[in-house]
Amino acid sequence: MKRLAWAALALVALAGTASAEPLIGTWRTAPDDNGNSGLVQVAPCGAQLCGQLVKAYGPGGAEIASPNLGRNIISETVARGGGEYRGKVFAPDTGKTYNSKLMLSGSRLSVSGCVLGFCREGGVWQKLQ
């Protein structure tokens, strides 16, 4: 019985830690080079954070079908301190995965990344929830 109580306590403590992570939640991406944007749901994936595309929007703001729905846009991401995160980000408009730097400031997330020496800005994402 004591083991079960300790296991439950440990589970509650871990859940509290995960919910305290400010990157966890739903983020509205900045429009890409084609004017498309989306909603990315960030959640723990093992010891790291991942963000899955859950909705996509066209240039006019209407919801659109996307072959990338369900795909991890953010992966292998870990906190570095001071609001900085490092990992990978997939850009649907280029089809490339970039080594990412994410900078969190309140409900705004500045996204940038590089691949093979080519760097680009992913704009500022806005946290919805």
Side-chain angles (χ1 to χ4, degrees):
M1 186 67 168
K2 283 185 180 180
R3 283 188 189 181
L4 182 58
W6 280 110
L9 182 61
L11 196 57
V12 169
L14 286 174
T17 301
S19 65
E21 171 53 59
L23 197 61
I24 291 174
T26 303
W27 294 85
R28 176 77 183 239
T29 69
D32 64 17
D33 290 345
N34 298 320
N36 298 324
S37 63
L39 297 183
V40 174
Q41 179 67 47
V42 176
C45 54
Q48 302 170 336
L49 296 168
C50 296
Q52 188 177 80
L53 183 66
V54 294
K55 286 192 179 183
Y57 300 94
E63 191 171 342
I64 59 172
S66 170
N68 295 302
L69 286 175
R71 183 179 187 137
N72 275 342
I73 301 299
I74 295 174
S75 61
E76 302 177 31
T77 300
V78 294
R80 293 287 182 106
E84 181 179 337
Y85 295 81
R86 295 289 178 128
K88 306 249 183 226
V89 65
F90 174 76
D93 60 336
T94 65
K96 294 181 180 165
T97 299
Y98 297 81
N99 292 319
S100 66
K101 177 181 178 184
L102 311 175
M103 289 300 301
L104 180 63
S105 179
S107 62
R108 297 168 53 86
L109 184 67
S110 298
V111 179
S112 61
C114 298
V115 63
L116 299 174
F118 295 100
C119 298
R120 70 183 287 201
E121 294 297 317
V124 176
W125 298 9
Q126 187 68 41
K127 191 168 190 177
L128 300 181
Q129 47 176 288

